Amino acid sequence: MIFVWRSMNQKLLKLENLLRFHTICRQLHSLSQRRLFAWQKHGFSPAYPLWTEQLCAQPRQTNLFVGASLCQHRLFVTNKEKRPSRSQSSSIKPKRNVEVWVGMTVEELARAMAKDIDYIYEALLNTAVDIDSLEANSHLDEVWIKEVIKKAGMKLRWTKLKQEKVRENKDAVRRPQADPALLTPRFPVVTIMGHVDHGKTTLLDKLRKTQVAAMEVGGITQHIGAFLVSLPSGEKITFLDTPGHAAFSAMRARGAQVTDIVVLVVAADDGVMKQTVESIQHAQEAQVPIVLAINKCDKADADPERVKKELLAYDVVCEDYGGDVQAVHVSALTGDNLTALAEATIALSEMLELKADPTGPVEGTVIEAFTDKGRGPVTTAIIQRGTLRKGSILVAGKSWAKVRLMFDENGKTLNEAYPSMPVGIIGWRDLPSAGDEILEVESEPRAREVVEWRKIEQKEEKGKDDLKIIEEQRKEHQEAHRKAREKYGSLHWRKRSYMKYLERKEQRPLKPKEKAEKDSNVLSIIIKGDVDGSVEAILNLLDTYDASHECELELVHFGLGDISENDVNFAETFDGVIYGFNVDAGKAIQQSAAQKGVKIKLHKIIYHLIEDLQEELSSRLPHRLEEFPIGEACILATFSVTEGKRKVPVAGCRVQKGQLEKQKKFKLIRNGHVIWKGSLTSLKHHKDDVSVIKTGMDCGLILDEEKVEFKVGDEVVCYEENEVPAKTSWDPGF
């Protein structure tokens, strides 16, 4: 802008000079006119030519117009010159003050300056600060804070260390320990644990006089069940029947956390197995005492003593060996000695002096959660403190409920639920997760406040995790940029441009055929289950997937309840497969899925679902070539024949197994190593060309590669290659 005004001033000066010259000419013209009139008056002729008169003759009106225009232009230019000085002085803003304090971090300084973190890093380049070791939460010295503020053109103002405003904690928490005088005895919560198919559910059936085991799909427990058992003596025990299958480790751990006593069931004919050891570890981590039930003692090959000795290796020492673990020999099938097992459990609970406070707000734990078509979200819970009644306001995880209905394991409606009682609860707004803590609050607004607080807390935690990930990615990007600079820094610009061109060429967009091949190596799945624990078990199994180099496994969505139209739309969008566990898909849903080309696979047994998933993964893998031998021959002699001007090596062989077919592929094996693979150019029996040589016959053969040397004793194998389906290497562990 200054340059423009300077140019206008120069033009103005030129115009003024021109007008001054014009004025001088006009004055000279006036003077000459006066002289001319005087000479003419006195009869003299002019001494200079008349063209000067024509040159200088200009109307006076024109001179006046030019003069007025010049005045107006000078006034305009003067105003313009004054205007930018005023606007410039008004546009200069005062430097922004930045509040800083001692021990300020990089992130805090960036926030105070309203800049991003990268700006701070750039400002500290070419200084003594080690940028590579500088983190977002790294503290800066005073000199570097001043340096950054100075480069930003700001002013700093030192303040005291800022204290972040701490939000009021609005979460619901457990009550303090109750006065021992208010505690009343309660019956024990006993978790039955052990290896799959060791008879846990059958044992519980005998105690309850029910047939749960007969109704279970595949004969294995796949949910965690809570039952209240009344013994003939009048005592009551709450039993938790946990799955013994390898897939349900999280359920067993959850059962151990809410229990008072663990009944470890071990089959006398099978001994200690993998899930037996895992159950022991869960009990020991939860510091829960163990009662050993050695089951299937009615079998002929039962060996209870072997079981006790095997358990010594896992710090489970029975009373017979000087320990404190009670061991009871039982038969769940015949019901032998089950009373002794119940009495041992009751005796141990009396020693533990189990008590609880039945007054005040309720506290408990969600054992299982699922969605029922007619009743909505439903939970199975164990009450640990207080008395649950209809209308109570509960909070669990990020969900809350106003209790509409309570029922026991048989579906009978309950009015109250006391400590140690298992109870089904209906009235949840959203489905909580298994293992969530249940707390009673005073009102619905308070419940909403707690849930909102927990959601905000979760969001903040997620934000912190995201920042860590972003920071790690930023470091990776900086490192890659540094390496790229080192890589190209010493190269000539032509060489550097060529290398970058090659890199861009490698990153070209995929062609449709290549994209289809890449997509075929990705399996997107949707998981739907009946209860929260089942979905949790399946997801835990998916976490063990370690064959991404073969086929990528992507979990698009998971949830509870029957398969819906949204699930089908998800699967169609991602070209995925829907897996349902103990859920249904309506006829309309199946028809919609068939029209959209979506697979729906329903299973009742978890390991069948995993096997199906393995088969689906295997179907996405490219077929592999497998060699199938047709015949084998041994080289007995070597010689050569002349063909034209060259000598060709010939192997004299005898077929020992199968047959040799000239059109098939061959390989030459020496000392167990394959030294050649290819085809034959000639196969003769005596002097006749043949296509097949059978077992026991002699032949001579010539390979398609003349440089291969034969040796007596080498083995020639005739084989064919067939494409066979590949199988995924993923092993879920069962």
Side-chain angles (χ1 to χ4, degrees), residues 629-634 651-667 680 683-684 690-695 697-701 715-719:
I630 298 174
E632 297 177 4
C634 182
C653 307
R654 179 173 294 163
V655 181
Q656 297 177 331
K657 185 189 297 183
Q659 62 185 24
L660 304 185
E661 299 180 17
K662 184 181 178 182
Q663 302 302 321
K664 302 296 183 182
K665 294 185 177 182
F666 288 79
K667 59 184 176 181
L680 302 182
L683 178 63
K684 292 189 177 184
V690 293
S691 59
V692 177
I693 298 291
K694 296 185 178 180
T695 304
M697 297 176 63
D698 295 335
C699 65
L701 53 84
E715 185 180 359
V716 177
V717 177
C718 175
Y719 68 95

Side-chain angles (χ1 to χ4, degrees), residues 462 464-474:
K462 186 179 182 301
K464 292 179 182 178
D465 295 339
D466 291 343
L467 282 176
K468 290 181 181 178
I469 295 172
I470 292 171
E471 187 63 22
E472 290 175 0
Q473 291 177 345
R474 186 191 65 80

Side-chain angles (χ1 to χ4, degrees), residues 110 221 261 383 386 429 483 666:
T221 303
I261 300 169
I383 305 303
R429 297 301 188 270
K483 290 181 179 179
F666 288 79

